[in-house]
């Protein structure tokens, strides 16, 4: 099938590459000329495991191309995917200007039937606005051309997006037109062969499903962080509590790991946007506000522990930092806990020696003039001259370090672990002071 994808960011590139992988002819269009030039030169602007191979293979096969030519892109595909960003507005609501600009462009150039698919995460009612914008553009051209607007939200996890797309848990399709639903079923048939994963519903329910899914996962994380903070104060071990409650199939083990707070491009933005949507509809979503408040507070916990350990005097101290991305297997630092920690340390007069397997260039982009940030080539290198070690991202290579080397290199043998990677008893036996999240009174810190 022939399809067009507006937006060559994370969602657009993964969608385009995976659709092309199954034999479709995909055109990705973007107004950013520099990004398109990079893509056409084989330079992938984001890090996602396996994505570069998918793109290279399908570009060479002629099934995937990148362009800034909007007229060509609209003329190419029956399916017109909108996969542009919806950044938070000043009040936290989703900014739809890019989505609606794409809708207007489609209406300005389409000459026959098109299925317009909202892949971006958008508030309930966005499909109506897209439909109105396309219709207005067609009316301006004095044309009456049939089109449908579908909600087809993505459920991709950064670091596992290729697998999520190729082997989806579910395929949500929101449409009021049975014919359109069957066309989408045919489109997704290669990803739907084992058993039927496609769930059809009305458009507004599909739009809300995406927000509800992310808000539920964020709620589980904030809940566990609340219990972890309580565990510190009553002398319990949150890791034992986690196993105990996770064994209940009604709860399960997914997303109940306490830590330094969630970040990234989805959870923070989507929880805020859903809360603002609720407020706009006249409903006070107290739980959503609490989820966000708990997460914002949790991002400061490691700094509080570090400051408490050093009696509030961090001026002139150096902290080794392992992990910059908001999660493993990505270079994404959007709303990452590492940023909150680093900025608090700098404000207190400390220097940070940091390492991340993938996010070093992103850190350089975000903090080009940070005089108190030293980016190191390895985890071990960060230890040189450091007073303590803090861990913010659970990269695999951080799970079994040389603790003897850590102890010998640090001026004070202390580890602040924001992801509960290690066994407190083992570190205690080695003479390392260990602060984790929710692991009893000894690690309460503040």
């Amino acid at each position: 099938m022939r399809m067009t994808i507006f937006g060559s960011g994370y969602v657009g590139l993964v969608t385009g590459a995976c659709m092309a992988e199954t034999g479709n002819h995909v055109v990705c269009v973007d107004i950013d000329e520099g990004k398109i030039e990079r893509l056409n030169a084989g330079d992938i602007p984001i890090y996602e495991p396996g994505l570069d191979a998918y793109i290279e293979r399908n570009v060479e096969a002629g099934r995937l191309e990148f362009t800034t030519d909007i007229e060509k892109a609209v003329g190419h595909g029956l399916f017109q995917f909108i996969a542009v960003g919806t950044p938070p507005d000043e009040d936290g609501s989703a900014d739809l200007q890019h989505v609606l600009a794409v809708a207007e462009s489609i209406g300005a150039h389409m000459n026959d039937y098109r299925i317009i698919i909202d892949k971006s995460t958008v508030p309930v009612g966005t499909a109506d606005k897209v439909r109105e914008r396309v219709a207005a553009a067609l009316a301006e051209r004095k044309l009456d051309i049939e089109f449908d607007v579908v909600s087809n939200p993505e459920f991709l996890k950064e670091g596992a997006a290729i697998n999520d797309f190729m082997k989806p848990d579910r395929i949500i399709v929101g449409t009021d037109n049975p014919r359109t639903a069957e066309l989408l079923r045919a489109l997704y048939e290669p990803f739907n062969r084992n058993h039927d994963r496609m769930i059809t519903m009305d458009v507004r329910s599909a739009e809300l499903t995406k927000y509800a899914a992310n808000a539920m996962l964020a709620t589980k994380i904030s809940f566990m962080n609340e219990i972890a903070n309580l565990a510190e104060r009553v002398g319990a071990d949150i890791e034992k509590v986690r196993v105990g409650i996770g064994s209940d199939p009604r709860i399960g083990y997914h997303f109940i790991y306490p830590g330094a707070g969630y970040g990234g491009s989805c959870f923070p933005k989507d929880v805020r946007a859903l809360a603002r949507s609720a407020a706009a509809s006249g409903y006070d979503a107290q739980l959503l506000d609490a989820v966000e408040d708990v997460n914002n507070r949790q991002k400061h916990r490691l700094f509080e522990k570090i400051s408490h350990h050093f009696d509030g005097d961090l001026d002139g101290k150096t902290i080794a930092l392992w992990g910059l991305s908001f999660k493993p297997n990505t270079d994404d630092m959007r709303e990452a806990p590492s940023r909150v920690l680093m900025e608090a340390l700098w404000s207190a007069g400390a220097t940070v020696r940091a390492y991340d397997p993938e996010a070093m260039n992103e850190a350089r982009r975000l903090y080009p003039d940070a005089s108190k940030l030293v980016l190191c080539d390895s985890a071990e290198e960060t230890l040189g001259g450091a007073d303590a070690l803090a861990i913010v991202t659970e990269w695999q290579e951080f799970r079994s370090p040389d603790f003897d080397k850590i102890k010998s290199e640090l001026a004070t043998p202390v580890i602040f672990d924001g992801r509960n990677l290690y066994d407190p008893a083992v570190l205690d036996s080695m003479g390392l002071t260990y602060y984790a999240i929710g692991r009893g009174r000894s690690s309460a810190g503040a």
Side-chain angles (χ1 to χ4, degrees):
M1 295 185 180
R2 298 166 69 85
M3 66 192 67
T4 296
I5 298 176
F6 283 86
S8 295
Y10 186 83
V11 174
L13 287 177
V14 172
T15 301
C18 291
M19 284 293 190
E21 182 73 9
T22 58
N24 298 298
H25 186 190
V26 181
V27 170
C28 291
V29 59
D30 202 293
I31 60 173
D32 186 336
E33 293 184 3
K35 182 184 290 186
I36 295 299
E37 287 177 1
R38 288 180 62 186
L39 286 164
N40 282 325
D43 181 11
I44 312 305
I46 62 171
Y47 174 75
E48 176 63 35
L51 180 60
D52 52 352
Y54 268 53
I55 290 177
E56 180 181 359
R57 182 163 58 246
N58 286 287
V59 167
E60 289 179 355
R63 293 189 298 265
L64 178 62
E65 56 184 288
F66 304 98
T67 184
T68 58
D69 188 336
I70 294 175
E71 183 176 1
K72 171 188 173 182
V74 174
H76 170 78
L78 166 65
F79 301 98
Q80 302 276 309
F81 283 88
I82 301 178
V84 295
T86 52
D89 219 332
E90 290 183 5
D91 63 351
S93 61
D95 183 350
L96 296 177
Q97 63 172 316
H98 303 303
V99 171
L100 297 179
V102 171
E104 190 168 327
S105 295
I106 294 172
H109 295 289
M110 61 183 283
N111 292 309
D112 51 13
Y113 176 67
R114 290 290 181 265
I115 299 174
I116 301 165
I117 303 169
D118 281 333
K119 203 71 176 169
S120 302
T121 301
V122 294
V124 175
T126 298
D128 294 336
K129 295 178 180 179
V130 168
R131 188 177 292 107
E132 291 168 4
R133 194 63 69 94
V134 174
L138 288 171
E140 191 171 317
R141 297 169 61 201
K142 296 182 171 52
L143 294 175
D144 183 14
I145 301 173
E146 184 185 3
F147 66 93
D148 283 298
V149 179
V150 175
S151 175
N152 174 219
E154 53 85 15
F155 295 95
L156 306 175
K157 298 186 295 290
E158 290 194 45
I162 296 294
N163 187 67
D164 286 345
F165 199 102
M166 301 301 288
K167 299 177 181 179
D169 296 317
R170 74 282 207 199
I171 301 165
I172 302 295
V173 173
T175 179
D176 301 316
N177 187 334
R179 180 189 65 179
T180 305
E182 289 309 308
L183 288 169
L184 266 291
R185 187 177 296 280
L187 176 65
Y188 278 107
E189 178 61 27
F191 313 97
N192 203 29
R193 298 181 69 84
N194 190 314
H195 62 275
D196 191 2
R197 298 176 175 88
M198 185 165 152
I199 303 170
T200 58
M201 58 185 71
D202 62 277
V203 174
R204 286 179 171 247
S205 294
E207 290 172 331
L208 183 56
T209 295
K210 168 62 177 181
Y211 274 124
N214 279 354
M216 172 60 81
L217 297 175
T219 299
K220 292 182 74 173
I221 294 171
S222 281
F223 175 80
M224 284 304 292
N225 282 331
E226 284 279 66
I227 301 301
N229 294 336
L230 174 61
E232 291 183 359
R233 285 155 178 77
V234 300
D237 186 340
I238 192 61
E239 288 303 307
K240 292 181 173 60
V241 175
R242 178 181 64 79
V243 174
I245 67 173
S247 61
D248 185 333
R250 297 171 300 175
I251 298 172
Y253 292 104
H254 295 297
F255 285 83
I256 61 169
Y257 289 85
Y262 59 76
S265 63
C266 296
F267 287 5
K269 172 177 71 72
D270 292 353
V271 170
R272 284 194 293 268
L274 185 56
R276 303 309 176 268
S277 291
S281 68
Y283 182 70
D284 180 14
Q286 297 178 20
L287 178 58
L288 295 176
D289 292 334
V291 168
E292 183 180 8
D293 290 343
V294 167
N295 189 61
N296 290 337
R297 183 178 64 190
Q298 196 69 16
K299 289 182 178 181
H300 293 274
R301 287 296 292 144
L302 271 190
F303 175 76
E304 292 167 359
K305 290 172 182 289
I306 295 170
S307 180
H308 182 270
H309 178 83
F310 288 103
D311 297 322
D313 183 13
L314 292 172
D315 190 27
K317 292 288 192 293
T318 297
I319 307 299
L321 179 62
W322 289 2
L324 293 167
S325 58
F326 84 94
K327 62 180 287 189
N329 297 319
T330 181
D331 61 354
D332 194 343
M333 289 180 62
R334 284 174 287 186
E335 304 213 33
S338 65
R339 299 178 64 176
V340 174
L341 175 59
M342 287 193 297
E343 290 166 15
L345 289 169
W346 296 335
S347 295
T351 295
V352 174
R353 293 175 59 83
Y355 167 74
D356 187 282
E358 292 295 339
M360 304 292 272
N361 287 334
E362 181 66 0
R364 292 185 183 97
R365 185 186 72 83
L366 291 170
Y367 301 108
D369 303 315
S371 61
K372 291 183 177 295
L373 173 62
V374 179
L375 294 173
C376 301
D377 293 331
S378 69
E380 291 75 14
E381 187 182 330
T382 66
L383 303 172
D387 295 285
L389 168 63
I391 303 167
V392 186
T393 314
E394 63 275 30
W395 284 95
Q396 196 69 30
E397 67 179 83
F398 301 156
R399 292 183 179 272
S400 298
D402 184 340
F403 290 113
D404 288 329
K405 183 175 180 62
I406 292 173
K407 183 179 179 181
S408 65
E409 289 281 344
L410 294 177
T412 53
V414 56
I415 297 175
F416 300 89
D417 182 359
R419 297 300 173 188
N420 289 359
L421 297 184
Y422 311 130
D423 184 335
V426 171
L427 269 65
D428 183 63
S429 70
M430 300 182 72
L432 283 158
T433 302
Y434 182 60
Y435 295 88
I437 303 293
R439 306 210 69 178
R441 293 186 189 277
S442 63
S443 63

PDB file of all heavy atoms in Angstrom, residues 391-404:
ATOM      1  N   ILE A 391      23.474   7.182  40.675  1.00  0.00           N
ATOM      2  CA  ILE A 391      22.997   6.415  39.522  1.00  0.00           C
ATOM      3  C   ILE A 391      21.547   6.803  39.251  1.00  0.00           C
ATOM      4  O   ILE A 391      20.699   6.723  40.144  1.00  0.00           O
ATOM      5  CB  ILE A 391      23.102   4.895  39.779  1.00  0.00           C
ATOM      6  CG1 ILE A 391      24.545   4.520  40.124  1.00  0.00           C
ATOM      7  CG2 ILE A 391      22.613   4.113  38.562  1.00  0.00           C
ATOM      8  CD1 ILE A 391      24.688   3.126  40.679  1.00  0.00           C
ATOM      9  N   VAL A 392      21.273   7.212  38.012  1.00  0.00           N
ATOM     10  CA  VAL A 392      19.939   7.711  37.684  1.00  0.00           C
ATOM     11  C   VAL A 392      19.252   6.868  36.611  1.00  0.00           C
ATOM     12  O   VAL A 392      18.031   6.840  36.542  1.00  0.00           O
ATOM     13  CB  VAL A 392      20.006   9.190  37.229  1.00  0.00           C
ATOM     14  CG1 VAL A 392      18.615   9.756  37.024  1.00  0.00           C
ATOM     15  CG2 VAL A 392      20.738  10.028  38.261  1.00  0.00           C
ATOM     16  N   THR A 393      20.036   6.180  35.771  1.00  0.00           N
ATOM     17  CA  THR A 393      19.454   5.389  34.684  1.00  0.00           C
ATOM     18  C   THR A 393      19.970   3.958  34.780  1.00  0.00           C
ATOM     19  O   THR A 393      21.175   3.738  34.944  1.00  0.00           O
ATOM     20  CB  THR A 393      19.836   5.970  33.309  1.00  0.00           C
ATOM     21  OG1 THR A 393      19.641   7.388  33.323  1.00  0.00           O
ATOM     22  CG2 THR A 393      18.994   5.357  32.213  1.00  0.00           C
ATOM     23  N   GLU A 394      19.073   2.984  34.652  1.00  0.00           N
ATOM     24  CA  GLU A 394      19.426   1.575  34.885  1.00  0.00           C
ATOM     25  C   GLU A 394      19.955   0.894  33.627  1.00  0.00           C
ATOM     26  O   GLU A 394      19.472  -0.175  33.218  1.00  0.00           O
ATOM     27  CB  GLU A 394      18.231   0.810  35.472  1.00  0.00           C
ATOM     28  CG  GLU A 394      16.995   0.702  34.609  1.00  0.00           C
ATOM     29  CD  GLU A 394      16.053   1.872  34.690  1.00  0.00           C
ATOM     30  OE1 GLU A 394      16.508   3.019  34.939  1.00  0.00           O
ATOM     31  OE2 GLU A 394      14.856   1.666  34.482  1.00  0.00           O
ATOM     32  N   TRP A 395      20.984   1.482  33.011  1.00  0.00           N
ATOM     33  CA  TRP A 395      21.623   0.835  31.873  1.00  0.00           C
ATOM     34  C   TRP A 395      22.226  -0.500  32.303  1.00  0.00           C
ATOM     35  O   TRP A 395      22.723  -0.641  33.421  1.00  0.00           O
ATOM     36  CB  TRP A 395      22.720   1.728  31.305  1.00  0.00           C
ATOM     37  CG  TRP A 395      22.223   2.882  30.494  1.00  0.00           C
ATOM     38  CD1 TRP A 395      21.999   4.154  30.939  1.00  0.00           C
ATOM     39  CD2 TRP A 395      21.909   2.888  29.096  1.00  0.00           C
ATOM     40  NE1 TRP A 395      21.560   4.945  29.900  1.00  0.00           N
ATOM     41  CE2 TRP A 395      21.502   4.201  28.761  1.00  0.00           C
ATOM     42  CE3 TRP A 395      21.943   1.919  28.091  1.00  0.00           C
ATOM     43  CZ2 TRP A 395      21.124   4.564  27.475  1.00  0.00           C
ATOM     44  CZ3 TRP A 395      21.570   2.273  26.805  1.00  0.00           C
ATOM     45  CH2 TRP A 395      21.158   3.576  26.501  1.00  0.00           C
ATOM     46  N   GLN A 396      22.191  -1.472  31.407  1.00  0.00           N
ATOM     47  CA  GLN A 396      22.658  -2.813  31.723  1.00  0.00           C
ATOM     48  C   GLN A 396      24.102  -2.811  32.216  1.00  0.00           C
ATOM     49  O   GLN A 396      24.465  -3.553  33.134  1.00  0.00           O
ATOM     50  CB  GLN A 396      22.514  -3.716  30.492  1.00  0.00           C
ATOM     51  CG  GLN A 396      22.590  -5.209  30.777  1.00  0.00           C
ATOM     52  CD  GLN A 396      21.391  -5.717  31.549  1.00  0.00           C
ATOM     53  OE1 GLN A 396      20.301  -5.172  31.423  1.00  0.00           O
ATOM     54  NE2 GLN A 396      21.587  -6.746  32.354  1.00  0.00           N
ATOM     55  N   GLU A 397      24.949  -1.973  31.644  1.00  0.00           N
ATOM     56  CA  GLU A 397      26.369  -1.993  31.993  1.00  0.00           C
ATOM     57  C   GLU A 397      26.647  -1.456  33.390  1.00  0.00           C
ATOM     58  O   GLU A 397      27.768  -1.580  33.897  1.00  0.00           O
ATOM     59  CB  GLU A 397      27.186  -1.216  30.968  1.00  0.00           C
ATOM     60  CG  GLU A 397      26.941   0.267  30.928  1.00  0.00           C
ATOM     61  CD  GLU A 397      27.829   0.959  29.890  1.00  0.00           C
ATOM     62  OE1 GLU A 397      27.447   0.958  28.707  1.00  0.00           O
ATOM     63  OE2 GLU A 397      28.898   1.470  30.277  1.00  0.00           O
ATOM     64  N   PHE A 398      25.624  -0.870  34.036  1.00  0.00           N
ATOM     65  CA  PHE A 398      25.816  -0.372  35.397  1.00  0.00           C
ATOM     66  C   PHE A 398      25.444  -1.415  36.455  1.00  0.00           C
ATOM     67  O   PHE A 398      25.632  -1.179  37.644  1.00  0.00           O
ATOM     68  CB  PHE A 398      24.965   0.881  35.643  1.00  0.00           C
ATOM     69  CG  PHE A 398      25.256   2.030  34.716  1.00  0.00           C
ATOM     70  CD1 PHE A 398      24.290   2.997  34.465  1.00  0.00           C
ATOM     71  CD2 PHE A 398      26.487   2.164  34.103  1.00  0.00           C
ATOM     72  CE1 PHE A 398      24.537   4.064  33.624  1.00  0.00           C
ATOM     73  CE2 PHE A 398      26.761   3.229  33.250  1.00  0.00           C
ATOM     74  CZ  PHE A 398      25.777   4.181  33.008  1.00  0.00           C
ATOM     75  N   ARG A 399      24.919  -2.560  36.031  1.00  0.00           N
ATOM     76  CA  ARG A 399      24.338  -3.501  36.991  1.00  0.00           C
ATOM     77  C   ARG A 399      25.375  -4.332  37.750  1.00  0.00           C
ATOM     78  O   ARG A 399      25.104  -4.771  38.867  1.00  0.00           O
ATOM     79  CB  ARG A 399      23.341  -4.426  36.277  1.00  0.00           C
ATOM     80  CG  ARG A 399      22.093  -3.682  35.791  1.00  0.00           C
ATOM     81  CD  ARG A 399      21.076  -4.596  35.147  1.00  0.00           C
ATOM     82  NE  ARG A 399      19.901  -3.863  34.709  1.00  0.00           N
ATOM     83  CZ  ARG A 399      18.834  -3.607  35.471  1.00  0.00           C
ATOM     84  NH1 ARG A 399      18.818  -4.045  36.715  1.00  0.00           N
ATOM     85  NH2 ARG A 399      17.818  -2.932  34.991  1.00  0.00           N
ATOM     86  N   SER A 400      26.536  -4.557  37.164  1.00  0.00           N
ATOM     87  CA  SER A 400      27.561  -5.368  37.838  1.00  0.00           C
ATOM     88  C   SER A 400      28.917  -4.674  37.757  1.00  0.00           C
ATOM     89  O   SER A 400      29.843  -5.150  37.092  1.00  0.00           O
ATOM     90  CB  SER A 400      27.646  -6.765  37.205  1.00  0.00           C
ATOM     91  OG  SER A 400      26.430  -7.456  37.346  1.00  0.00           O
ATOM     92  N   PRO A 401      29.058  -3.543  38.436  1.00  0.00           N
ATOM     93  CA  PRO A 401      30.325  -2.808  38.354  1.00  0.00           C
ATOM     94  C   PRO A 401      31.395  -3.404  39.276  1.00  0.00           C
ATOM     95  O   PRO A 401      31.126  -4.306  40.074  1.00  0.00           O
ATOM     96  CB  PRO A 401      29.916  -1.412  38.831  1.00  0.00           C
ATOM     97  CG  PRO A 401      28.833  -1.677  39.833  1.00  0.00           C
ATOM     98  CD  PRO A 401      28.075  -2.867  39.295  1.00  0.00           C
ATOM     99  N   ASP A 402      32.589  -2.885  39.160  1.00  0.00           N
ATOM    100  CA  ASP A 402      33.698  -3.277  40.031  1.00  0.00           C
ATOM    101  C   ASP A 402      33.602  -2.430  41.306  1.00  0.00           C
ATOM    102  O   ASP A 402      34.074  -1.290  41.359  1.00  0.00           O
ATOM    103  CB  ASP A 402      35.027  -3.025  39.311  1.00  0.00           C
ATOM    104  CG  ASP A 402      36.227  -3.495  40.115  1.00  0.00           C
ATOM    105  OD1 ASP A 402      36.096  -3.659  41.347  1.00  0.00           O
ATOM    106  OD2 ASP A 402      37.296  -3.674  39.509  1.00  0.00           O
ATOM    107  N   PHE A 403      32.990  -2.993  42.347  1.00  0.00           N
ATOM    108  CA  PHE A 403      32.758  -2.223  43.560  1.00  0.00           C
ATOM    109  C   PHE A 403      34.069  -1.883  44.274  1.00  0.00           C
ATOM    110  O   PHE A 403      34.171  -0.829  44.926  1.00  0.00           O
ATOM    111  CB  PHE A 403      31.824  -2.986  44.500  1.00  0.00           C
ATOM    112  CG  PHE A 403      30.401  -3.066  43.997  1.00  0.00           C
ATOM    113  CD1 PHE A 403      29.856  -4.285  43.627  1.00  0.00           C
ATOM    114  CD2 PHE A 403      29.631  -1.925  43.888  1.00  0.00           C
ATOM    115  CE1 PHE A 403      28.555  -4.356  43.168  1.00  0.00           C
ATOM    116  CE2 PHE A 403      28.325  -1.985  43.433  1.00  0.00           C
ATOM    117  CZ  PHE A 403      27.779  -3.212  43.062  1.00  0.00           C
ATOM    118  N   ASP A 404      35.057  -2.742  44.164  1.00  0.00           N
ATOM    119  CA  ASP A 404      36.349  -2.427  44.779  1.00  0.00           C
ATOM    120  C   ASP A 404      36.953  -1.179  44.139  1.00  0.00           C
ATOM    121  O   ASP A 404      37.525  -0.326  44.835  1.00  0.00           O
ATOM    122  CB  ASP A 404      37.311  -3.605  44.626  1.00  0.00           C
ATOM    123  CG  ASP A 404      36.932  -4.782  45.520  1.00  0.00           C
ATOM    124  OD1 ASP A 404      36.366  -4.539  46.605  1.00  0.00           O
ATOM    125  OD2 ASP A 404      37.189  -5.944  45.118  1.00  0.00           O
TER     126      ASP A 404
END
